[in-house]
Amino acid sequence: MNAAFPVLHFPPASLAGDWWRDQIICGDSRAVLQALPAECVHLAITSPPYNVGLHYDSHHDRLPYEEYLRWLTAFWSELYRVLVPGGRFALHIAPTSIKDFRPIHYDMARDLVRLGFIMRTEILWYKQTMRRRTAWGSWKSPRNPHMLPSWEYVLVFCKGSWTLEGNR
């Protein structure tokens, strides 16, 4: 039997009771996290905006780098608050462009550890669907040869404890 979880589009009609329990919640992550009670989430998965200039309805995706990291840290802090002790967090992040290369996965891991998260593992998601693996610049003028990343990262963290107590 395949049981699908219900999808709740935030905000719900009422925030009374356990409105958040056993649901996939779709909405502005900042508003959703702030509405959740402390220590109620066992697993969170996200892929945040990469700050590369993509169009979003409610987010400017070209912040100065340090401001971008501070903006994310506000989310990570709320996420830490709502995770149960031992709760898991999987962060999906791709390498940034070569032109403005930043080891964003390192910086995010550092910020999460500073907040108290424990880094459990780093998964490399090898993307076999890429057609090109290298970039050479203009034809017959390889001024900036480099590898195009064929992988993305899934960084897995937990809150404060390696173990997750059952029946909570």
Side-chain angles (χ1 to χ4, degrees), residues 1-151:
M1 181 168 112
N2 246 348
F5 283 100
V7 175
L8 178 132
H9 294 278
F10 191 85
S14 171
L15 294 178
D18 291 343
W19 61 269
W20 46 269
R21 186 178 295 272
D22 297 332
Q23 299 196 62
I24 296 171
I25 303 171
C26 296
D28 179 285
S29 57
R30 182 180 316 217
V32 171
L33 285 169
Q34 290 172 346
L36 290 171
E39 299 185 353
C40 69
V41 174
H42 288 78
L43 172 66
I45 303 168
T46 192
S47 181
Y50 291 169
N51 203 41
V52 293
L54 298 177
H55 175 74
Y56 292 94
D57 291 339
S58 61
H59 169 66
H60 175 63
D61 197 45
R62 186 58 91 177
L63 297 171
Y65 189 66
E66 294 302 322
E67 184 179 338
Y68 169 66
L69 292 175
R70 283 191 302 275
W71 178 77
L72 285 173
T73 298
F75 288 91
W76 306 151
S77 294
E78 278 297 303
L79 181 60
Y80 192 86
R81 182 185 69 80
V82 302
L83 279 175
V84 300
R88 307 303 199 256
F89 170 45
L91 171 62
H92 168 237
I93 188 75
T96 58
S97 67
I98 298 301
K99 180 181 174 188
D100 299 318
F101 179 76
R102 301 272 187 161
I104 192 167
H105 57 293
Y106 292 152
D107 293 337
M108 288 184 183
R110 176 203 63 213
D111 293 346
L112 287 158
V113 168
R114 284 181 181 166
L115 288 171
F117 284 94
I118 298 168
M119 188 166 185
R120 296 183 60 90
T121 193
E122 174 183 76
I123 301 166
L124 291 179
W125 175 11
Y126 177 57
K127 302 188 83 166
Q128 297 177 358
T129 58
M130 290 185 61
R131 292 184 191 158
R132 295 180 351 171
R133 297 281 186 220
T134 59
W136 294 95
S138 301
W139 186 70
K140 289 190 177 180
S141 177
R143 294 177 42 198
N144 184 20
H146 59 273
M147 300 297 294
L148 295 176
S150 59
W151 67 90

